[in-house]
Amino acid sequence: MKKTKICLIMAVLLILSTVTGCTKKKEEKPEDGYSINYLVLVNKLNPLPENWEKEIRTENFTNSVGMNVEVETKAYQAYLQLKQELENEGVYIDLDSARRSIEEQQQIMDEFSEEYGADYAAKVVAKPGYSEHHTGLALDLYLIVDGKDITLNEDLVQYPEIWQKIHEKMTKYGFILHYIDGKEHITGYAYEPWHLRYVDDPEIPKEIMDKGITLESYLGMVNETDPVIDLGTSAIYSEDELREMAILIKCTFAAWKDCELHSIRYAGDEASSEENLKWINSISTGTEYVKVVEFLMDFHSPKNNENSALEADHEYTDYQWWLGRDAEGSWEIVSFGY
Ligand SMILES: [Zn+2]
């Protein structure tokens, strides 16, 4: 049985500014009155707008593996044109999944909760109402290679040269790649070469893809160069205290030449254990620590870093920073790395 792609997510924390109404509305109104906002942003922080499900028009068709697929009307027309152009060049694609209703997403969530537990389900399945697939504008492609349907994510990633061809062609038909590589901290999703997003106006995809930015930053929701600082919640430390620690890490990191900081996150109260305290004291060179705290960091190493111990041009995720507090109450960095 074919595995349905549900855009499995990485357990990436996402903190964006709480701006609402992230829209750049299009002015034109077609004569038949059908007008939706093709730049709508639905992600882990922004739910599907109310009435969207009533307003969109969709098309249904059956794909090469016999599944029914529903797509927003205009996105579907654009997809057919893209498909035709690719076929002329010997690249064969089909649609695995496009529109999913909030109800269907809830079903997926329930199935996962039942099988793996609610915590795991919440981590890997988009919350109903917060999946881009609700819009009908997100299209998950699969490939047909030598007459064979390639539908599983782990198989699809084996064809980077085919995806490159698709990504080159898609912009002129109004599609962008939303979950681009290295932007997990902004989109909340790992790289998904198959997840195309229709934004209508072909000028916009070109700009977004040429700049290598996310839809979030095109819409002004985030500044891609600003790191995300997530202090989480703690029953032990105040927000001010946690902020001070995050700043200490940020300042230390600032000396790492050409490294790009993406996020710093408080790892949680569980890391402040007796065991970890013992450990940092065992590696300490003199100071006796009375408290221990862990932070996690995502960052990107520079393309050229011959003199560094870091791997070149690499996205480091969940990189650990350990801090200790001495008897006088001052915090310092004791250790970092994996
Ligand atoms: Zn998808």
Side-chain angles (χ1 to χ4, degrees), residues 138-184:
L139 281 64
D140 285 342
L141 305 182
Y142 64 90
L143 303 175
I144 300 159
V145 181
D146 299 327
K148 247 182 78 188
D149 298 310
I150 314 287
T151 58
L152 298 178
N153 298 0
E154 55 266 40
D155 298 330
L156 288 169
V157 292
Q158 309 299 324
Y159 298 92
E161 62 297 329
I162 297 184
W163 291 116
Q164 197 189 335
K165 268 190 195 169
I166 297 169
H167 299 159
E168 276 166 16
K169 302 270 181 218
M170 69 184 176
T171 53
K172 75 171 170 189
Y173 298 105
F175 292 101
I176 60 162
L177 200 62
H178 194 170
Y179 307 140
I180 53 180
D181 204 10
K183 297 290 163 73
E184 293 93 329

Side-chain angles (χ1 to χ4, degrees), residues 126-310:
K127 202 160 87 180
Y130 292 80
S131 165
E132 190 172 50
H133 280 283
H134 296 323
T135 62
L137 304 172
L139 281 64
D140 285 342
L141 305 182
Y142 64 90
L143 303 175
I144 300 159
V145 181
D146 299 327
K148 247 182 78 188
D149 298 310
I150 314 287
T151 58
L152 298 178
N153 298 0
E154 55 266 40
D155 298 330
L156 288 169
V157 292
Q158 309 299 324
Y159 298 92
E161 62 297 329
I162 297 184
W163 291 116
Q164 197 189 335
K165 268 190 195 169
I166 297 169
H167 299 159
E168 276 166 16
K169 302 270 181 218
M170 69 184 176
T171 53
K172 75 171 170 189
Y173 298 105
F175 292 101
I176 60 162
L177 200 62
H178 194 170
Y179 307 140
I180 53 180
D181 204 10
K183 297 290 163 73
E184 293 93 329
H185 59 294
I186 294 173
T187 63
Y189 292 86
Y191 176 56
E192 290 192 359
W194 52 80
H195 179 106
L196 271 50
R197 163 62 200 270
Y198 185 65
V199 295
D200 193 22
D201 182 343
E203 289 303 314
I204 297 170
K206 218 185 149 332
E207 186 185 338
I208 289 178
M209 296 305 288
D210 285 354
K211 286 184 180 162
I213 57 170
T214 59
L215 182 61
E216 281 80 354
S217 93
Y218 176 79
L219 295 170
M221 297 290 288
V222 289
N223 184 343
E224 299 217 355
T225 56
D226 286 350
V228 171
I229 311 282
D230 176 11
L231 302 176
T233 49
S234 172
I236 310 172
Y237 307 106
S238 69
E239 206 180 308
D240 282 349
E241 207 169 356
L242 289 168
R243 185 171 296 112
E244 223 174 274
M245 296 178 217
I247 289 168
L248 181 61
I249 295 168
K250 209 175 151 188
C251 292
T252 307
F253 179 82
W256 294 18
K257 209 172 170 296
D258 299 326
C259 283
E260 189 185 280
L261 179 57
H262 288 158
S263 69
I264 300 177
R265 310 180 298 279
Y266 177 57
D269 288 351
E270 314 78 60
S272 298
S273 66
E274 279 302 316
E275 199 186 342
N276 286 330
L277 183 62
K278 245 185 228 162
W279 167 64
I280 61 159
N281 275 313
S282 76
I283 58 169
S284 159
T285 51
T287 314
E288 174 77 21
Y289 298 107
V290 294
K291 289 272 183 200
V292 60
V293 153
E294 185 193 14
F295 273 79
L296 296 169
M297 178 188 276
D298 292 351
F299 69 97
H300 206 95
S301 58
K303 283 200 171 67
N304 239 324
N305 65 337
E306 285 152 15
N307 303 319
S308 155
L310 297 170

Side-chain angles (χ1 to χ4, degrees), residues 15-26:
I15 298 267
L16 300 173
S17 56
T18 51
V19 186
T20 52
C22 44
T23 51
K24 280 190 182 175
K25 273 220 181 302
K26 305 203 84 189

